[in-house]
Amino acid sequence: MVDHPERITEHFEAAWNAHDMVAFGALFHADATFVNRYAMYWRGIDQIVAGHRFIHETIYSDSVLRVDPADVDWVGEDAAILHFWTRLTAGAAHPAGPHVADTLILAIATRRDGDWRIQAAENVTLADPTTGKETLRAD
């Protein structure tokens, strides 16, 4: 259970790095939506978990994710907009080999029955707008 929307990022990072898709799925409402960094659109917790389970069993099985604290914009007592940066370090399991990618996640978190979860999320990869080449942000 997540008691504050700001804590979603901690749980997101922990679940990813443990490759624990049960814990990852628990961060989302059952009717949530997710758009990954390749514009794959998943509706519902089953699709979100299945999509992430597949990559965690294959190309991201040895990945590590660092998640920065979220910028939070409150929409009301039970809704918040989160923006948070991630840095994915892919390992040898990835077909492109070890590499690093930065993404920015926009998530809408809502509170139901005292529990904060993600209702909708979109993940975008940082890239040079003139070339489309993935880039890393300055820390």
Side-chain angles (χ1 to χ4, degrees):
M1 182 163 160
V2 178
D3 57 356
H4 296 286
E6 299 92 343
R7 299 205 55 222
I8 287 174
T9 56
E10 299 167 28
H11 294 276
F12 195 100
E13 180 178 282
W16 184 284
N17 290 332
H19 307 285
D20 182 346
M21 295 301 98
V22 173
F24 188 78
L27 296 172
F28 296 86
H29 289 295
D31 58 345
T33 59
F34 191 99
V35 178
N36 76 5
R37 66 191 200 119
Y38 301 106
M40 296 176 78
Y41 174 66
W42 297 317
R43 176 171 284 283
I45 194 73
D46 291 341
Q47 287 185 6
I48 294 168
V49 169
H52 284 91
R53 178 173 284 122
F54 174 75
I55 61 175
H56 279 270
E57 291 174 349
T58 58
I59 64 172
Y60 291 145
S61 62
D62 57 354
S63 68
V64 175
L65 189 70
R66 187 188 81 216
V67 181
D68 290 352
D71 287 332
V72 179
D73 293 306
W74 290 91
V75 180
E77 284 186 22
D78 296 320
I81 301 167
L82 311 176
H83 287 92
F84 54 95
W85 284 100
T86 74
R87 174 159 286 174
L88 174 71
T89 302
H94 197 283
H99 65 280
V100 178
D102 284 344
T103 72
L104 181 62
I105 295 179
L106 163 64
I108 309 302
T110 60
R111 179 171 48 189
R112 297 182 194 166
D113 301 321
D115 190 19
W116 284 93
R117 294 184 187 208
I118 297 170
Q119 181 63 52
E122 184 169 355
N123 188 14
V124 296
T125 302
L126 182 62
D128 181 323
T130 62
T131 65
K133 182 178 186 251
E134 288 187 19
T135 61
L136 297 178
R137 68 189 181 107
D139 285 329

